[in-house]
Amino acid sequence: MSVRDDMLQLAQQAKNASRRLAILSSEVKNSLLLRMAAALEAGTTGLIEANERDLADARDKGMAPAMLDRLTLDEARIKAMADGLREVAALPDPVGEITGMWRRPNGIQVGRMRIPLGVIGIVYESRPNVTADAAGLCLKSGNAVILRGGSEALHSNSAIGALLQGELKRMSLPEGALQVVTTSDRNAITELLKLEDEIDLIIPRGGEGLIRFVSEHSRIPVIKHYKGVCHTFIDASADYEVAEKICVNAKVQRPGVCNAMETLLIHKDIAETFVPYIAEVFRNHGVELRGCPVTRAFAPQIIAAVEEDWGMEFLELILAVKVVDDLDEAIAHIQRYGSLHTEVIVTRDYGNSQRFLREVNSSVVMVNASSRFSDGNQLGLGAEIGISTSKLHSFGPMGLEDLTTRKFVVLGDGQVRP
């Protein structure tokens, strides 16, 4: 068959499976997820072997260290995938929930019930854990899922998918509920994006180029997350030790992820002491700093920033640093250069913290905490399907409820409309 026929067959199988998934009990779905978690742990050796094939190819192609980190599977990350499935199993099932009920003057009762979206297509790059995370969330919320990972993780994703599908078979559930696209042909994405009659939603996860490609070619609604240009603003009242801990964690722990800090903003009133202080801290962690003229006046060794640095998602140990006059300028800078992902203020001033929370228009806004907490698991959603930086129909990390919609339900006792 052609790639087009292959993708159409996958989508039709998913649509058929979605009808059965929509009416599965919570108990069956939870049992499935727990079995899948156990299968991942039991298959650890095989998953690492498959992943090593992907890593070897990636090294040969000169993949950057941060990207290699995103691609890597080890025992700890496989256990984290399994634990993520268990956490999703433990979460309340949103399907069938009545989110409101009211009585009209004519006596009818009107409510809204959560229902699955249907079939969800996930197009993603590099991180094989997305295969398990996305599968778990989609299945728990009653949706069939088609997973198309990047060619750089083809062996890893196929191995994870095979383990998860094995549990569907053992429970006599339709295999079309979870399908991994195993071809590296880029036309597979293009063909999937045409199938608006079979697929209800596309969620791309990866670099800005992939997401723009998906958005421009899809006939299906797309939830977008172009990039994570995350800012941390150090207010004049900030405690230096707290600021240091937050900044180092946000930039250094995993620089190749979307919730890592990419720009540090510093209030001018503390710049003379804080800039050299934090510059030395980052130098010891191997971070390259690119600063504005005021920043460089206090730490001349810092590289001069250029305009492009302010809106850059570096995804490596590079950080843009700017001194700002006040909270107003910090917020204005975020509004101009941010990507609606995650913004942080470090402050001991309650009024400034509240202004920052109200006025910054990103999907996650934090006070005195690392941007690395902008993650569905860390926020209590279980493993996330992604982070939406568009406002329809979800904004920020997406959990189970974000993979449902609501239908109206009406209860009457014979009323007719006059």
Side-chain angles (χ1 to χ4, degrees), residues 264-286:
L264 175 63
L265 304 174
I266 301 169
H267 195 291
K268 69 175 183 179
D269 289 354
I270 60 170
E272 184 175 0
T273 55
F274 188 76
V275 168
Y277 170 81
I278 201 67
E280 178 66 14
V281 169
F282 278 127
R283 186 186 69 80
N284 292 334
H285 286 282

Side-chain angles (χ1 to χ4, degrees), residues 156-408:
S156 305
N157 292 332
S158 298
I160 293 169
L163 289 174
L164 301 183
Q165 273 203 323
E167 298 310 311
L168 283 167
K169 295 177 186 177
R170 291 182 181 89
M171 292 186 66
S172 300
L173 295 172
E175 295 178 40
L178 188 166
Q179 299 173 92
V180 176
V181 177
T182 56
T183 177
S184 59
D185 191 331
R186 192 174 177 86
N187 288 330
I189 299 177
T190 305
E191 294 302 329
L192 276 176
L193 299 179
K194 297 176 182 178
L195 301 176
E196 73 270 27
D197 290 335
E198 287 78 24
I199 301 175
D200 297 282
L201 178 68
I202 295 289
I203 301 176
R205 294 186 58 170
E208 186 174 0
L210 169 70
I211 294 166
R212 291 200 181 279
F213 176 87
V214 169
S215 300
E216 290 167 6
H217 290 82
S218 183
R219 298 177 186 171
I220 305 162
V222 177
I223 287 183
K224 299 179 284 292
H225 164 200
Y226 285 123
K227 54 185 178 179
V229 183
C230 303
H231 298 77
T232 300
F233 170 51
I234 310 302
D235 195 17
S237 66
D239 179 284
Y240 280 21
E241 290 186 8
V242 172
E244 176 188 341
K245 286 196 303 181
I246 289 172
C247 289
V248 170
N249 183 257
K251 182 72 249 184
V252 176
Q253 188 200 39
R254 289 192 70 188
V257 294
C258 65
N259 58 15
M261 174 177 62
E262 302 292 16
T263 298
L264 175 63
L265 304 174
I266 301 169
H267 195 291
K268 69 175 183 179
D269 289 354
I270 60 170
E272 184 175 0
T273 55
F274 188 76
V275 168
Y277 170 81
I278 201 67
E280 178 66 14
V281 169
F282 278 127
R283 186 186 69 80
N284 292 334
H285 286 282
V287 179
E288 175 187 307
L289 301 182
R290 300 179 182 180
C292 70
V294 180
T295 300
R296 296 184 70 239
F298 296 122
Q301 74 277 17
I302 294 176
I303 297 169
V306 296
E307 175 64 22
E308 289 75 18
D309 289 328
W310 303 124
M312 182 66 69
E313 185 181 32
F314 296 109
L315 297 175
E316 53 184 314
L317 290 175
I318 300 173
L319 179 67
V321 184
K322 184 177 183 180
V323 174
V324 295
D325 286 344
D326 51 24
L327 178 59
D328 288 328
E329 186 179 353
I331 293 173
H333 182 96
I334 291 168
Q335 289 173 337
R336 179 175 179 183
Y337 295 104
S339 60
L340 302 181
H341 195 293
T342 301
E343 320 299 352
V344 174
I345 183 172
V346 181
T347 185
R348 287 181 289 189
D349 185 312
Y350 178 78
N352 283 351
S353 72
Q354 297 308 296
R355 275 197 60 202
F356 194 84
L357 290 176
R358 288 193 306 270
E359 297 180 27
V360 172
N361 194 30
S362 295
S363 66
V364 180
V365 186
M366 302 184 179
V367 177
N368 296 330
S370 168
S371 61
R372 291 282 289 116
F373 285 108
S374 183
D375 169 89
N377 183 277
Q378 295 296 318
L379 298 181
L381 305 180
E384 70 187 23
I385 200 75
I387 295 179
S388 171
T389 56
S390 52
K391 296 181 181 179
L392 295 177
H393 89 145
S394 180
F395 197 32
M398 297 175 60
L400 289 174
E401 286 190 1
D402 300 292
L403 298 179
T404 64
T405 186
R406 295 183 298 168
K407 66 181 179 183
F408 282 95

Side-chain angles (χ1 to χ4, degrees), residues 106 108 414-418:
N106 61 6
I108 64 170
Q415 289 92 337
V416 294
R417 183 171 177 176

Side-chain angles (χ1 to χ4, degrees), residues 81-159:
M81 284 195 296
D83 287 343
L85 290 175
R86 295 186 180 105
E87 288 172 7
V88 173
L91 292 171
D93 187 347
V95 178
E97 176 190 2
I98 301 295
T99 61
M101 184 69 74
W102 57 94
R103 187 179 296 275
R104 300 291 296 142
N106 61 6
I108 64 170
Q109 294 184 72
V110 181
R112 303 192 79 174
M113 177 186 289
R114 289 199 179 277
I115 60 172
L117 292 171
V119 178
I120 298 174
I122 315 289
V123 182
Y124 54 107
E125 295 174 330
S126 295
R127 293 166 63 178
N129 65 291
V130 173
T131 305
D133 292 350
L137 283 165
C138 288
L139 293 172
K140 178 66 180 268
S141 55
N143 296 288
V145 61
I146 300 172
L147 297 151
R148 204 290 186 180
S151 58
E152 70 281 356
L154 184 61
H155 298 104
S156 305
N157 292 332
S158 298

